[in-house]
Amino acid sequence: MNYGYMGKILRVNLSKEEISFEEPVEAFYRRYFGGRGLIAYFLLKELELGIDPLTPANKLIFACGPVTGAPISGSGRNSVGAKSPLTGAYGEAEAGGFWGAELKRAGFDAIIIEGKAAEPVYLWVHEEKAEIKDASHLWEMEIKKSQETIRKDLQDNSAKVAQIGPGGEKMVRYASVINDMSHAAGRCGMGAIMGSKNLKAIAVRGVKRVNIANPESLRRLARWMARNVDDVAHGLHTYGTGGFMDVYEETGNLPVHNFRDGEFPNVDLISAQTIKEHVRVGMGTCFACAVACKKEVKAEGPWSVDPAYGGPEYETLAALGSNCGVDDLKAICKANELCQKYSLDTISTGVSIGFAMECFENGLLNKEDTGGVDLSFGNAEAMVKMVEMIGERKGIGDLLAEGVKRAAERISNGAEEFAVHVKGQEVPMHEPRLKRGLGLGYAVSPTGADHVHNIHDTFLEPKIPEQYKSLGILEAVPTEDLGPKKVRLFKYVMTWRSLNNCLVMCLFAPWSVQQKVDIVRSVTGWNTTAFELMMVSERAINLARIFNIREGFKRKDDWLPPRFFRPKTSGALSSTAVDPEKLREAKAIYYSMMGWNEQGVPTRTKLEELNIAWTADEISVE
Amino acid sequence: MNYGYMGKILRVNLSKEEISFEEPVEAFYRRYFGGRGLIAYFLLKELELGIDPLTPANKLIFACGPVTGAPISGSGRNSVGAKSPLTGAYGEAEAGGFWGAELKRAGFDAIIIEGKAAEPVYLWVHEEKAEIKDASHLWEMEIKKSQETIRKDLQDNSAKVAQIGPGGEKMVRYASVINDMSHAAGRCGMGAIMGSKNLKAIAVRGVKRVNIANPESLRRLARWMARNVDDVAHGLHTYGTGGFMDVYEETGNLPVHNFRDGEFPNVDLISAQTIKEHVRVGMGTCFACAVACKKEVKAEGPWSVDPAYGGPEYETLAALGSNCGVDDLKAICKANELCQKYSLDTISTGVSIGFAMECFENGLLNKEDTGGVDLSFGNAEAMVKMVEMIGERKGIGDLLAEGVKRAAERISNGAEEFAVHVKGQEVPMHEPRLKRGLGLGYAVSPTGADHVHNIHDTFLEPKIPEQYKSLGILEAVPTEDLGPKKVRLFKYVMTWRSLNNCLVMCLFAPWSVQQKVDIVRSVTGWNTTAFELMMVSERAINLARIFNIREGFKRKDDWLPPRFFRPKTSGALSSTAVDPEKLREAKAIYYSMMGWNEQGVPTRTKLEELNIAWTADEISVE
């Protein structure tokens, strides 16, 4: 009996309208686990070199992991991967909700989508089967209506739907894939890949149960979380993300005005606390999760917001709020709702708008360019308008839909200075000028700027978190440090956190390292250890990196945008910035600690050590 | 409260007759644990470069680990370390029994012995105190009498004694330290260091208990072992070591005639099964251990043997038996007893005698050299006689007491061909021509040829042991393979097994990887994981290597003796041998996988990654 994994992978070729099934052996699952491990494996094995991500040659992979769908907090996630239209590199995003667990229960660990449908279609996956179904009537529909229609078509009100809205259809380069209307696989533009394939949605319905090797042990863990969630999940359980906006503003972590400034006096107006008080109508959760950190907000009046789309996370509050100078909470909630409706990544959307605002203030864009919109920082109405225009690819929205890297190239005249991205992916809402280790993480991540599988240095002082001691990190390292001790900390923490993308599990379920080991053991029956899990993650990190090297990414691409090498104009970080020389050194140390050569290319022995020697043939490796 | 460690280190300067105490902080213990970690730390920090190991400048360190003395199988061990008089490199040996646990209970994690006493002394350690006591009357005494005398002097019949016999006093370069009369810290000549310091013994008496952080969890583990020991400890519990002599002979693993030949038809005469039937009178154990694998043998007649000295392990049966061509079990038991009495390592003793026998058969030694003894292979009487002569450093014994490397240099005329050692340490009783990974292990071990922290390839086919899956090793690799997959397997297994020398724990207590993690967690309260434990072990391996590099050891010293590059003259391995080119490649891969440069020197970033950047100053590191 398979525990923790179903054993089957569904392959759908939309061009040929072919559906097939693969059944890898257990050792394959134990080697690659799921999520990033599976996605990077298949992309490396199957993708032609140098393809345009938005052509039928790209493949889109939905992947669960060994704990997806197990009845335990944090297991309600799935990964989505492809070559990214935003970065041209390895692309991957994760989303919570119920869709991933449902896919498992429908009998599949992963879905590989190939080719492109002649006309809009959606996929209907149920009972170990799959059908390609017409979606002409769904095209251009926002996601709530689309989900309702699909469920009606299928006569199944419990079908779970992962889908794109018009933003994905129009291939906004940072379009997201939305699970269950409010959970976004946001980063890297995976929604654009769906759009490019004429794939509106994947509806799944599962009735199987994930086989659990040791149900009693898993129940013990679940009971522990149920009893302790209030203690160990701190603010998340009460407020969701965004409970530290004030601290972030004070310390300089909060991006303000496209990362330019530090002070944002009205930060309290857009905090999770204020949300709870004024617009929150409920807290949603993901499959089997006791943390339940998903805000549901409702608003009426000029910015009416439907709680069915959830509510803004911290990243959203900052990206569409302070980063655009906007302190109107309802406007942010509205923009968040629109991002869901259109299926747009709120981070990239917010950063793109902030970028446009700074261009506007500096005369690089004018009202003619914006169709008459006053794109000044702080203009809430303009911000909301921009989300719509991006989602529709209308006017300036069409340019911003390309992401800041491409938009800046088009605008030129120094606009590059305002384009805050790494490898083409817009930077999330945490400050490398404050958290130097995180900055290194932005620089070297295979997916470009990414805050999830990264360290957040400010939490590490003055005492190191107990959890990191489990990784052999016994001392705190100052947040501004970028020396070898920080790099060591970074390497281990990032490897550990990246594991979430293989399991696939949520970062916010506050399991200790050993508890996570115990979860995997209980679900799969594998006698795994933290050592093996770290290796699984490191393997996946290397697979993604090899993919990028194959696509031509070089050492110089592991770098931060110019903004971070200069101080903020105000606030806590007005006299400090990332030192490029120190970042260069830290990067070199990181490469070496990872077993990569000076160019950042994994050595052959490192690949052999990770049991992926086959990847050495994909690139030229010493 | 300290859990698992006492916090105190006892330092004794015998030249100055000074006793002092040190109290490292908890973070120190968590970083270096114990055993090799502590020993290598202090030797690197404190030993002058290039000293003669047998001078007062050397330091001798007895070290426990965090689980020593905890009431759980495998915890009854301690390490002994110094610069080795046999290899000139990092020297370390482990022994079981009760002495280590007693040292902990006396309040100490380690003892550092410095200088040299003017006259023979012994150390009396009890109740967190220590006294240097006269041992003139004990000198030249064999260990049973010596222990009796010490106990009488101290009026304490429960004092545990670690000591040397006349072999140690006379600085036989492979003299052992004997715990409790029958447990030898055999390898690397630690007994000779005691002798060089005029230190006859360390008697300890402890009344404290090791503080256990989670006694209930530890009890659960202990109960599990008590219930399952018959299943999981297979033959060990029934026979002790030496239950596979016949299989070893058949497969070629058994050394015969100084590793020259393969067939040994009378192998059954010297097996653990035969011992059980004919000479065994009991089975001893170590502190708190349910495995109880320590034979106690008794014989009368020409080879009378006192069971107080225990009985021969597999290594002894082969080294003094088949390797010398001897199939007289009682002679072997007698030789084993003599090795205890004199405190001689049975492996090095047997290999030295086998070497002399081959020299004798080839005319490099004659009866004049041997004092009339017919040193032919198979001459049981001669073998026993040689043990005595080595222990007394009499006649040819004085030459053989130097170990085969020095003896061969002295004899010259091609004797080097018969000297089966690595870095000066005689090779144990497992065959690199059969187990190619083990051969690599002999070559690269910091202590020279060592079988304990090593892989035993033949156990790995056709199925990989479940335990190794916990380390991410999912497939078996053929025993004759020396490619990257084998090196990977070797790296992880050797790192894991070397951990025993830091914990300090016994290899023979068959805990799974996760159980061992649980034991350390239960005893120490540290939220450790297999990942941290692997790092602790890797750190200690690197510390020992840095020590050797500092002493001038080079890449070329990581190599096997010539014997293994030619097939055996008979038996299963008569047409196969280690391919030097493949060994060279495997070594290069291993260096790289360890984060060492092409010369085998750890890179600075590897040392930084292991949180021992300070060692980079000890050597020139890139």
Side-chain angles (χ1 to χ4, degrees):
Chain A
M1 186 183 283
N2 302 343
Y3 294 112
Y5 60 97
M6 293 303 183
K8 278 197 183 159
I9 291 174
L10 167 63
R11 191 182 286 269
V12 178
N13 188 304
L14 294 173
S15 303
K16 301 180 183 165
E17 297 178 22
E18 277 175 7
I19 287 171
S20 59
F21 307 96
E22 287 157 33
E23 296 193 47
V25 295
E26 179 177 4
F28 174 85
Y29 285 101
R30 185 150 181 184
R31 192 162 162 197
Y32 299 106
F33 270 51
R36 177 180 292 184
L38 284 190
I39 291 166
Y41 173 85
F42 283 110
L43 291 184
L44 259 176
K45 284 274 185 187
E46 299 187 4
L47 229 54
E48 272 176 71
L49 185 61
I51 56 156
D52 178 339
L54 294 172
T55 60
N58 203 354
K59 301 195 181 190
L60 180 67
I61 302 174
F62 292 77
C64 302
V67 307
T68 311
I72 192 88
S73 291
S75 70
R77 274 174 101 74
N78 67 276
S79 300
V80 190
K83 181 173 176 178
S84 167
L86 200 54
T87 65
Y90 173 79
E92 170 203 306
E94 274 74 30
F98 297 81
W99 187 88
E102 197 77 13
L103 178 62
K104 265 288 195 51
R105 294 159 67 99
F108 298 105
D109 299 290
I111 305 176
I112 302 172
I113 309 278
E114 307 175 338
K116 178 186 178 178
E119 301 293 330
V121 295
Y122 74 95
L123 198 63
W124 169 225
V125 180
H126 58 115
E127 289 164 47
E128 303 187 47
K129 292 196 295 280
E131 296 167 59
I132 301 170
K133 296 182 80 84
D134 178 49
S136 309
H137 58 306
L138 304 171
W139 211 244
E140 294 182 26
M141 241 180 222
E142 65 84 7
I143 61 162
K144 185 178 185 182
K145 202 162 158 217
S146 163
Q147 175 169 301
E148 283 167 3
T149 311
I150 288 170
R151 286 181 169 176
K152 202 176 288 172
D153 285 0
L154 298 173
Q155 298 185 302
D156 189 333
N157 255 323
S158 300
K160 305 288 184 286
V161 181
Q163 59 174 330
I164 53 172
E169 296 167 14
K170 294 189 168 67
M171 293 180 265
V172 173
R173 283 189 187 267
Y174 44 82
S176 58
V177 178
I178 308 282
N179 285 1
D180 310 303
M181 287 185 52
S182 57
H183 303 266
R187 316 290 346 252
C188 295
M190 297 299 102
I193 308 292
M194 278 185 86
S196 77
K197 296 190 172 308
N198 268 334
L199 179 65
K200 176 71 177 176
I202 303 179
V204 295
R205 184 76 172 97
V207 293
K208 288 166 160 276
R209 287 187 145 208
V210 175
N211 288 323
I212 307 297
N214 188 339
E216 181 44 38
S217 159
L218 195 69
R219 267 194 296 274
R220 260 199 310 275
L221 287 155
R223 275 197 299 268
W224 180 91
M225 183 61 85
R227 271 197 301 269
N228 292 282
V229 67
D230 267 328
D231 290 335
V232 296
H234 308 298
L236 273 182
H237 186 52
T238 317
Y239 296 111
T241 59
F244 295 102
M245 303 289 288
D246 50 349
V247 182
Y248 286 4
E249 198 267 350
E250 200 182 331
T251 56
N253 189 52
L254 186 75
V256 178
H257 303 142
N258 197 34
F259 294 87
R260 186 188 65 194
D261 307 334
E263 287 174 0
F264 195 68
N266 285 339
V267 65
D268 286 344
L269 298 182
I270 64 170
S271 70
Q273 287 82 349
T274 306
I275 290 177
K276 183 164 187 280
E277 225 167 293
H278 294 293
V279 294
R280 212 173 86 183
V281 294
M283 282 295 259
T285 189
C286 297
F287 177 83
C289 192
V291 178
C293 69
K294 304 297 290 180
K295 310 173 196 75
E296 290 162 350
V297 303
K298 186 176 176 182
E300 277 161 19
W303 310 122
S304 74
V305 177
D306 181 346
Y309 298 99
E313 299 291 340
Y314 164 70
E315 296 295 322
T316 310
L317 291 165
L320 297 164
S322 58
N323 193 55
C324 294
V326 170
D327 59 13
D328 182 327
L329 181 60
K330 289 187 181 170
I332 299 169
C333 290
K334 183 66 196 177
N336 178 66
E337 182 205 65
L338 288 171
C339 283
Q340 307 300 309
K341 283 182 167 170
Y342 284 106
S343 74
L344 301 177
D345 176 36
T346 59
I347 297 172
S348 287
T349 303
V351 173
S352 295
I353 296 171
F355 159 81
M357 286 174 161
E358 192 167 5
C359 287
F360 188 82
E361 289 209 344
N362 283 275
L364 300 179
L365 291 175
N366 56 36
K367 281 204 176 171
E368 206 171 307
D369 299 313
T370 64
V373 178
D374 171 18
L375 257 186
S376 299
F377 279 124
N379 186 340
E381 209 162 331
M383 182 275 288
V384 175
K385 181 74 188 162
M386 278 301 118
V387 176
E388 275 177 346
M389 288 174 75
I390 291 168
E392 300 284 356
R393 269 195 181 268
K394 275 196 184 140
I396 183 93
D398 192 40
L399 177 66
L400 298 181
E402 293 292 288
V404 297
K405 177 169 178 268
R406 286 172 178 79
E409 284 163 7
R410 211 83 72 73
I411 296 169
S412 66
N413 287 319
E416 287 88 349
E417 288 289 304
F418 309 144
V420 188
H421 70 88
V422 174
K423 295 188 178 70
Q425 169 132 279
E426 288 73 18
V427 171
M429 299 297 115
H430 300 264
E431 235 322 318
R433 282 166 289 193
L434 175 67
K435 305 171 177 176
R436 301 290 163 83
L438 173 108
L440 173 63
Y442 284 165
V444 302
S445 164
T447 52
D450 200 315
H451 62 297
V452 176
H453 50 254
N454 214 323
I455 57 169
H456 290 268
D457 317 35
T458 47
F459 291 125
L460 307 183
E461 291 184 281
K463 271 183 73 177
I464 199 85
E466 274 303 308
Q467 186 169 169
Y468 293 166
K469 292 190 182 169
S470 297
L471 304 175
I473 310 284
L474 303 178
E475 319 150 61
V477 185
T479 189
E480 67 277 12
D481 191 293
L482 253 182
K485 277 177 190 283
K486 174 60 67 64
V487 179
R488 170 172 185 260
L489 177 58
F490 169 76
K491 175 187 165 174
Y492 292 138
V493 170
M494 185 163 105
T495 303
W496 178 247
R497 289 173 72 128
S498 294
L499 176 69
N500 287 320
N501 298 357
C502 296
L503 287 178
V504 180
M505 266 192 113
C506 184
L507 177 67
F508 287 161
W511 299 110
S512 72
V513 174
Q514 186 57 50
Q515 282 176 321
K516 212 165 262 185
V517 172
D518 290 341
I519 289 170
V520 179
R521 292 172 74 96
S522 303
V523 173
T524 62
W526 296 333
N527 60 354
T528 195
T529 61
F531 183 77
E532 186 187 14
L533 294 184
M534 286 289 274
M535 195 192 298
V536 165
S537 177
E538 196 183 344
R539 184 179 292 134
I541 290 168
N542 276 269
L543 288 171
R545 186 160 189 94
I546 293 275
F547 182 90
N548 288 357
I549 291 166
R550 202 185 68 149
E551 293 290 337
F553 281 81
K554 305 279 186 216
R555 178 173 63 175
K556 68 172 168 46
D557 299 306
D558 289 345
W559 201 238
L560 290 177
R563 180 121 289 176
F564 299 126
F565 299 116
R566 282 190 291 277
K568 292 194 175 193
T569 60
S570 63
L573 301 174
S574 59
S575 61
T576 183
V578 177
D579 178 337
E581 202 37 59
K582 286 196 176 141
L583 180 63
R584 215 181 313 274
E585 278 167 29
K587 197 171 81 169
I589 293 169
Y590 176 67
Y591 285 178
S592 176
M593 285 190 184
M594 289 297 285
W596 300 345
N597 72 14
E598 285 176 13
Q599 299 304 317
V601 179
T603 61
R604 179 173 288 271
T605 45
K606 172 48 77 174
L607 299 174
E608 287 164 343
E609 190 198 333
L610 293 170
N611 200 17
I612 47 172
W614 61 269
T615 61
D617 302 334
E618 297 291 324
I619 52 170
S620 89
V621 158
E622 286 158 16
Chain B
M1 187 184 281
N2 303 342
Y3 294 111
Y5 59 98
M6 293 303 183
K8 280 197 182 159
I9 291 174
L10 167 64
R11 190 182 287 270
V12 179
N13 188 305
L14 293 174
S15 302
K16 301 180 185 166
E17 297 179 22
E18 277 174 7
I19 287 172
S20 59
F21 307 96
E22 288 157 31
E23 295 193 49
V25 296
E26 178 177 3
F28 174 84
Y29 285 102
R30 185 149 180 186
R31 191 161 162 197
Y32 299 105
F33 271 51
R36 178 180 291 185
L38 285 191
I39 291 167
Y41 172 86
F42 283 110
L43 292 184
L44 259 176
K45 284 273 186 188
E46 301 187 4
L47 229 54
E48 272 176 74
L49 184 62
I51 57 156
D52 178 339
L54 294 173
T55 60
N58 204 354
K59 300 196 182 191
L60 180 67
I61 303 174
F62 291 77
C64 302
V67 306
T68 309
I72 192 87
S73 293
S75 69
R77 275 173 102 73
N78 67 279
S79 299
V80 189
K83 180 173 176 179
S84 166
L86 200 55
T87 65
Y90 174 80
E92 170 204 306
E94 274 74 31
F98 297 81
W99 187 88
E102 196 77 14
L103 178 62
K104 264 291 195 50
R105 294 159 67 101
F108 298 105
D109 299 291
I111 305 176
I112 302 173
I113 310 278
E114 307 174 338
K116 178 186 177 177
E119 300 293 328
V121 296
Y122 74 96
L123 197 63
W124 169 223
V125 179
H126 59 116
E127 291 163 47
E128 302 186 48
K129 294 196 295 279
E131 298 168 58
I132 300 170
K133 296 182 80 85
D134 177 51
S136 308
H137 58 305
L138 304 170
W139 211 246
E140 294 183 26
M141 242 181 221
E142 64 83 9
I143 61 163
K144 184 176 185 181
K145 200 158 163 224
S146 163
Q147 175 169 302
E148 283 168 3
T149 311
I150 288 170
R151 286 180 168 177
K152 202 175 288 171
D153 286 358
L154 298 173
Q155 297 185 304
D156 189 333
N157 254 322
S158 299
K160 304 288 183 287
V161 181
Q163 58 174 330
I164 53 171
E169 296 168 13
K170 294 187 167 70
M171 294 180 266
V172 172
R173 284 189 186 266
Y174 44 81
S176 57
V177 178
I178 307 283
N179 285 1
D180 310 303
M181 287 184 54
S182 57
H183 303 266
R187 314 292 342 254
C188 294
M190 295 301 102
I193 308 293
M194 278 185 85
S196 78
K197 296 190 173 307
N198 268 335
L199 179 65
K200 175 72 176 178
I202 303 179
V204 295
R205 185 77 172 95
V207 293
K208 288 167 159 275
R209 286 187 145 206
V210 176
N211 288 323
I212 307 298
N214 189 339
E216 181 44 39
S217 161
L218 195 69
R219 268 194 294 274
R220 260 200 310 275
L221 287 154
R223 276 197 297 269
W224 181 91
M225 183 60 86
R227 271 199 301 269
N228 292 283
V229 66
D230 268 328
D231 290 336
V232 295
H234 308 297
L236 272 182
H237 187 52
T238 317
Y239 296 112
T241 59
F244 295 101
M245 303 288 289
D246 50 348
V247 181
Y248 286 4
E249 196 267 351
E250 201 183 329
T251 57
N253 189 52
L254 185 76
V256 179
H257 302 140
N258 196 33
F259 294 88
R260 186 187 66 194
D261 306 334
E263 288 175 359
F264 194 68
N266 284 340
V267 66
D268 286 343
L269 299 182
I270 63 170
S271 71
Q273 287 82 348
T274 306
I275 289 176
K276 183 165 189 277
E277 223 168 297
H278 294 293
V279 293
R280 213 173 87 185
V281 292
M283 280 297 258
T285 188
C286 298
F287 177 81
C289 191
V291 178
C293 69
K294 305 297 291 180
K295 310 173 196 76
E296 291 162 349
V297 303
K298 185 175 179 184
E300 279 161 16
W303 310 122
S304 73
V305 177
D306 180 346
Y309 298 99
E313 298 292 339
Y314 164 69
E315 295 295 323
T316 309
L317 291 166
L320 297 164
S322 58
N323 193 55
C324 294
V326 172
D327 59 14
D328 182 328
L329 181 61
K330 290 187 180 172
I332 298 169
C333 290
K334 182 67 196 177
N336 178 67
E337 182 205 63
L338 288 171
C339 282
Q340 307 299 311
K341 282 182 168 172
Y342 283 107
S343 75
L344 302 176
D345 176 37
T346 58
I347 297 172
S348 286
T349 302
V351 173
S352 295
I353 296 170
F355 159 80
M357 285 174 161
E358 192 167 5
C359 286
F360 188 83
E361 288 209 346
N362 283 273
L364 299 180
L365 291 175
N366 56 36
K367 281 203 176 172
E368 204 171 310
D369 299 311
T370 64
V373 177
D374 172 17
L375 258 187
S376 298
F377 279 123
N379 185 341
E381 208 162 332
M383 183 274 288
V384 175
K385 180 76 187 162
M386 278 301 118
V387 176
E388 276 176 345
M389 288 173 77
I390 291 168
E392 301 281 357
R393 270 195 180 268
K394 276 197 183 139
I396 183 93
D398 191 40
L399 178 66
L400 298 181
E402 293 291 289
V404 299
K405 177 168 176 270
R406 287 174 176 79
E409 284 164 7
R410 209 86 71 75
I411 296 169
S412 68
N413 288 319
E416 286 88 349
E417 289 289 304
F418 309 144
V420 188
H421 71 88
V422 175
K423 295 187 179 70
Q425 170 133 278
E426 288 73 19
V427 171
M429 300 296 114
H430 300 264
E431 231 327 316
R433 282 167 288 195
L434 175 67
K435 305 171 177 177
R436 300 289 164 84
L438 173 108
L440 174 63
Y442 285 166
V444 302
S445 165
T447 51
D450 200 314
H451 63 296
V452 176
H453 51 254
N454 214 323
I455 57 170
H456 289 267
D457 316 36
T458 46
F459 291 124
L460 308 182
E461 289 184 283
K463 271 182 73 176
I464 198 86
E466 275 303 307
Q467 187 169 170
Y468 293 166
K469 291 189 181 170
S470 296
L471 304 176
I473 310 284
L474 304 178
E475 321 149 60
V477 184
T479 189
E480 68 276 13
D481 192 293
L482 253 182
K485 276 176 190 282
K486 174 60 69 63
V487 178
R488 171 173 185 258
L489 177 59
F490 168 75
K491 174 187 166 175
Y492 292 138
V493 170
M494 186 161 105
T495 303
W496 178 248
R497 289 173 74 130
S498 294
L499 175 70
N500 287 321
N501 298 357
C502 297
L503 287 177
V504 182
M505 267 193 111
C506 184
L507 177 69
F508 287 161
W511 300 108
S512 73
V513 175
Q514 187 58 49
Q515 282 176 321
K516 212 166 261 184
V517 172
D518 291 341
I519 289 170
V520 179
R521 291 173 76 94
S522 303
V523 173
T524 63
W526 296 334
N527 61 352
T528 195
T529 61
F531 183 76
E532 186 188 14
L533 294 184
M534 286 289 274
M535 196 191 298
V536 165
S537 176
E538 196 183 343
R539 184 179 293 134
I541 290 168
N542 276 269
L543 287 172
R545 186 160 189 95
I546 294 275
F547 182 90
N548 289 357
I549 290 166
R550 201 184 71 147
E551 293 290 337
F553 281 80
K554 304 278 186 218
R555 179 172 64 177
K556 68 172 169 45
D557 298 306
D558 289 344
W559 201 240
L560 291 176
R563 181 122 286 178
F564 298 126
F565 300 117
R566 282 191 291 277
K568 291 193 173 192
T569 59
S570 63
L573 301 174
S574 59
S575 60
T576 183
V578 177
D579 178 337
E581 202 38 58
K582 286 195 177 144
L583 180 63
R584 213 181 315 274
E585 279 167 28
K587 197 170 80 169
I589 294 168
Y590 176 68
Y591 286 178
S592 176
M593 285 189 184
M594 289 299 283
W596 301 344
N597 73 13
E598 286 177 10
Q599 299 303 319
V601 179
T603 61
R604 180 173 287 271
T605 46
K606 172 48 78 175
L607 298 174
E608 287 164 342
E609 189 198 335
L610 293 171
N611 200 16
I612 45 171
W614 60 269
T615 61
D617 301 334
E618 298 291 324
I619 51 171
S620 89
V621 157
E622 287 159 14

